[in-house]
Amino acid sequence: MSPTSEAITYLAPGIQFGAGVDYNIWKDFFIGIDGRYQLVNKTDGVNLSGMTAGGYVGIGF
């Protein structure tokens, strides 16, 4: 194993905030959306903070 370089980052501490909503379509079928914001310190000049959003379909059992 060679020694690590300055370009390698092992730890970028941060915090994540999120919210979401589920909706019961019928019996055990669900749809939902969620959004998350990551707040992370700049690491090696790269800004890792940002917002993500997504949707999903689920079956409960």
Side-chain angles (χ1 to χ4, degrees):
M1 305 294 176
S2 60
T4 59
S5 68
E6 291 182 15
I8 296 176
T9 303
Y10 288 99
L11 183 63
I15 189 167
Q16 183 178 70
F17 303 97
V21 176
D22 285 338
Y23 180 74
N24 186 339
I25 299 173
W26 179 70
K27 293 190 180 183
D28 287 335
F29 294 95
F30 298 88
I31 60 172
I33 58 172
D34 70 1
R36 300 172 190 192
Y37 182 76
Q38 296 85 15
L39 181 60
V40 183
N41 289 336
K42 222 177 223 191
T43 304
D44 294 333
V46 177
N47 187 3
L48 300 174
S49 295
M51 178 79 181
T52 58
Y56 53 89
V57 176
I59 301 172
F61 55 92

